[in-house]
Amino acid sequence: MFKFYLFENETDLLDKVDKISNIIIATFTLGFSIYIWYISQHKEKKNEHTSRKVDFLKSIVLDNNLIYFFQFHDQILTFLESFKGRTISNSDRSTINLLMIDELTRYRLRFYDLILPIDRKLYETLKNSSDTLIDDLTIKIFDTTFDHFDIQNFENSISNLIIETRNKSLEAIIFVE
């Protein structure tokens, strides 16, 4: 005769199912615990790295060298304002351009080159911003069809450009990740 043993001893079956389910739950719990530990360690290292980067940026670069950021924009603006209301010759235009490039070089060496090892994205932002400013000012200075050094035009064409560039760069520095 044929006996069906599946339900013959119900307590043995339930014990086996209970043990197997406990093993499965324990395995998932262990795996999930390892996953949470790994993720928290990864986030902690990332936060520590970000914190170190921001601390270094603040203490070394900003506390000691932020003056060069403002000095660059102020020097360019002050220098160009000295030509406001005057008619400038081509040799004056070349001299202005060379002096702006010299000021850009000083700015690069004193300020944003220090940022490169800390934050390449911020470095690129500051570099592009200052390069674009000097390029735009050079174009405006050599544009003979419009007198940018006329007292009324100076504010709209040169002064506002310098201030706007400074503010965008400062915003990038403040909101560094």
Side-chain angles (χ1 to χ4, degrees), residues 116 119-129:
L116 181 60
D119 191 341
R120 181 173 288 285
K121 184 179 175 184
L122 179 59
Y123 168 82
E124 291 294 330
T125 301
L126 293 175
K127 181 181 181 312
N128 291 339
S129 176

Side-chain angles (χ1 to χ4, degrees), residues 50-93:
T50 303
S51 177
R52 251 186 299 145
K53 182 174 83 169
V54 169
D55 287 345
F56 186 77
L57 179 68
K58 181 180 177 248
S59 65
I60 301 297
V61 178
L62 298 181
D63 287 348
N64 298 327
N65 295 335
L66 189 61
I67 190 169
Y68 299 121
F69 170 80
F70 291 107
Q71 204 173 54
F72 166 70
H73 294 92
D74 290 343
Q75 286 291 107
I76 297 288
L77 185 60
T78 302
F79 182 70
L80 291 174
E81 279 180 339
S82 68
F83 289 95
K84 184 168 54 171
R86 293 178 29 196
T87 303
I88 57 173
S89 65
N90 283 338
S91 64
D92 287 339
R93 294 173 201 272

